[in-house]
């Protein structure tokens, strides 16, 4: 039985990192860093972890040092947010292509400009093609649970890919909520010891990381990376099952809430899924056949599993907390549409971009989305394929 | 207690509204409630108007949107009345608690409130007496407890003692001062007739 505590999302992540007790954490210690690293630094100072904490001069250096440590065979972590992830850019791709099982909490916040410190998913969505697994969390509990599972997913020999554990900036990162935590020993048994197959420090089996790799083999290595991402799907489910036995909390690739007989549904990620669940309950009580699909695993994108659930409804509204400026909606919208294309009967799909820069998504706006989606499910036409929800014109 | 209680804190940066919302959330959580406690982060600085929020419920809380219709509003600085929209969204059966030396009747007039309940306590004076600084956040928690009946007084004090002992290990005088402040505000808070 877990221990019930009240923590902010950032405190929950820092506590999870203490329980993981990584060999190395390299992080930039100043804004846009969050207080995850501040809390973790106090665990280091108080001798509660054996971690070597390296406070570096930029996020580019943070990821570079984390990569170095991981390539040397260490269990290595960092954490970032917003502009910090943007500055890491170049090396984020290298972490994935080196197949280093780095776990990085990301506190989702808007990108400049204009300058904004509040929640949206632009930072991690920008890194969606970098080769990292991405898990999104609705609340502090899920951020904590996803963090612990991420270590085991990343280090699985069938995967060996880095993982971003995302939660919504301020809304859950700085808000206090209840959650249940595991005992330190339970966490350590669950994640186990990390034994790398290839380590720069293993002088008996010398290896090279980051060599020149031109027309001859680069493509083959990229194919292997793509295969590893696909192979991660069953591993994520296996780890979730093991975690359920330990914690009693169930995780899947996504949560399908009241979807069994749903006529129309909303797809959403992060903290706003909680608000949407409340709206679903309210509409269900009024006799509406509505459902919610909360995506947890965005990378790898579980399109086959999504087909099975979303293929049964008549209309879907996909809600993105990021714009890709493609002129064709947000990233989640276009991927859901592409993922369902091969179905013989597929739902009609409209897109909503919401909550940029921390704009609140209220109950009434979600009700409006359901009302419009119902109209489309009954054969009406959407006014716009993609709507910027709650924006002043 | 209502199924879900929503509270909005009005203060100026530096008065401890965020800390109060977090301390209240912790205490309610330890009493077995489901909670949220969160400030509204903006370009906050000393003296600027700020907001903090609580949700407290007997059932799990899923919503992550703003609190727009709080049934309880706590005002740590009376100079915010007329400037910060302190009664905005307050339902007809709502309660507003103000840190002031004035009576509930006077504050009701200033708020132009016809319905609901107005409560006042001189939390700043209590804080000066007990803590030695004008930090009205903890005494207002005592007044809030009286207004809401969130949990029995003794239980709240025991939880607060343990939380404060954890936070101020090296400053026992601060702990006793804060506990005294909560107790005095709990006893001294005044209410006018409930007009809901």
């Amino acid at each position: 039985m877990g221990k019930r505590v009240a923590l902010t999302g950032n405190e929950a992540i820092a506590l999870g990192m203490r329980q993981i007790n990584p060999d190395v954490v390299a992080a930039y210690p100043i804004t846009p860093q969050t207080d995850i690293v501040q809390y973790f630094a106090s665990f280091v100072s108080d001798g509660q972890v054996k971690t070597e904490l390296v406070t570096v001069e930029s996020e580019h250096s943070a990821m570079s040092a984390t990569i170095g440590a991981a390539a040397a065979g260490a269990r290595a972590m960092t954490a970032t947010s917003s502009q910090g992830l943007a500055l890491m850019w170049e090396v984020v791709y290298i972490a994935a292509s080196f197949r280093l099982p780095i776990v990085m909490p990301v506190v989702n916040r808007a990108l400049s400009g204009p300058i904004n410190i509040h929640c949206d998913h632009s930072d991690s969505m920008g890194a969606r093609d970098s080769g990292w697994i991405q898990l999104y969390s609705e609340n502090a509990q899920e951020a904590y649970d996803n963090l612990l599972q991420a270590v085991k997913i990343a280090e699985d020999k069938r995967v060996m890919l880095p993982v971003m554990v995302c939660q919504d900036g301020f809304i859950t990162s700085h808000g206090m909520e209840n959650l249940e935590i595991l005992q330190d020993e339970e966490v350590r048994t669950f994640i186990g010891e990390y034994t790398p197959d290839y380590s720069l420090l293993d002088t008996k089996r010398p290896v090279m990381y980051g060599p020149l790799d031109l027309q001859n083999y680069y493509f083959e290595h990229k194919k292997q990376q793509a295969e590893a991402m696909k192979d991660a799907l069953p591993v994520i489910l296996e780890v979730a099952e093991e975690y359920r036995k330990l914690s009693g909390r169930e995780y899947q690739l996504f949560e399908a809430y009241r979807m069994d007989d749903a006529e129309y549904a909303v797809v959403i990620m992060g903290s706003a899924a909680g608000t949407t669940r409340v709206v679903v309950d309210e509409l269900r009580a009024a006799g509406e056949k509505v459902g919610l699909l909360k995506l947890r695993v965005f990378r790898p994108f579980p399109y086959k599993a999504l087909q099975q659930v979303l293929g049964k409804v008549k209309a879907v509204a996909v809600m993105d907390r990021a714009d890709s400026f493609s002129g064709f909606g947000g990233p989640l919208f276009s991927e859901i549409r592409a993922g369902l294309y091969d179905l013989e009967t597929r739902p009609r799909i409209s897109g909503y971009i919401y909550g940029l820069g921390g704009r609140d998504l209220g109950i009434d706006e979600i009700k409006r989305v359901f009302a419009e989606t119902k109209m489309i499910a009954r054969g009406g036409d959407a006014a716009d394929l993609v709507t910027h929800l709650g924006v002043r014109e | 207690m209502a199924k879900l209680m929503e509270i909005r804190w009005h203060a100026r940066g530096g008065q401890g509204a965020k800390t109060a919302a977090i301390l209240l959330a912790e205490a309610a959580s330890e009493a077995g409630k489901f909670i949220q406690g969160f400030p509204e982060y903006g370009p906050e600085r000393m003296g600027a108007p700020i907001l903090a929020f609580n949700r407290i419920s007997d059932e799990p809380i899923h919503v992550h949107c703003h609190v727009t219709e709080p049934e309880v509003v706590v005002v740590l600085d009376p100079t915010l009345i007329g400037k910060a929209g302190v009664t905005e969204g307050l339902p007809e059966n709502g309660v507003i608690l103000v840190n002031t030396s004035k009576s509930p009747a006077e504050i009701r007039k200033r708020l132009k409130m016809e319905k609901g309940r107005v409560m006042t306590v001189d939390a700043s004076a209590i804080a000066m007496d007990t803590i030695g600084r004008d930090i009205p956040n903890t005494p207002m928690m005592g007044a809030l407890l009286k207004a809401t009946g969130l949990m029995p007084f003794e239980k709240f004090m025991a939880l607060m003692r343990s939380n404060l002992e954890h936070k101020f290990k090296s400053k026992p005088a601060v702990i006793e001062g804060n506990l005294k402040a909560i107790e005095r505000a709990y006893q001294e808070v005044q209410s006018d007739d409930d007009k809901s």
Side-chain angles (χ1 to χ4, degrees), chain B residues 38-101:
Chain B
F38 54 101
E40 182 184 71
Y41 283 88
E44 73 260 32
R45 59 228 173 265
M46 249 348 180
I50 61 137
L51 297 174
F53 303 93
N54 282 115
R55 286 191 175 99
I56 301 172
S57 175
D58 292 327
E59 291 170 22
I61 303 169
H62 298 283
V63 283
H64 280 119
C65 52
H66 288 175
V67 170
T68 51
E69 290 169 10
E71 53 263 56
V72 183
V73 169
V74 188
V75 183
L76 266 59
D77 189 328
T79 65
L80 291 168
I81 294 174
K83 295 191 183 77
V86 295
T87 54
E88 206 176 294
L90 193 67
E92 292 197 343
N93 60 350
V95 185
I96 184 161
L97 257 169
V98 182
N99 166 27
T100 174
S101 57

Side-chain angles (χ1 to χ4, degrees), chain A residues 4-6 8 117-118 138-139 170-172 174-178 270-275 277-278 358 360-363, chain B residues 18 21-23 25-26 28-42 61-68:
Chain A
R4 192 170 181 275
V5 292
T8 67
I117 59 167
H118 286 282
E138 177 184 326
N139 48 35
F170 290 105
I171 301 168
T172 66
H174 291 64
M176 177 172 279
E177 298 184 336
N178 314 94
S271 65
T275 318
R277 188 179 300 111
V278 171
D360 190 40
L361 179 71
I363 301 268
Chain B
K18 177 193 166 189
I22 294 291
L23 283 170
E26 279 176 343
S29 172
E30 281 157 25
K33 306 279 185 193
F34 292 92
I35 54 98
Q36 286 181 352
F38 54 101
E40 182 184 71
Y41 283 88
I61 303 169
H62 298 283
V63 283
H64 280 119
C65 52
H66 288 175
V67 170
T68 51

Side-chain angles (χ1 to χ4, degrees), chain B residues 2-21:
Chain B
K3 195 172 148 196
L4 171 67
M5 181 191 290
E6 294 183 308
I7 303 168
R8 184 173 69 215
W9 299 77
H10 287 268
R12 293 188 184 275
Q15 291 183 311
K18 177 193 166 189
T19 306

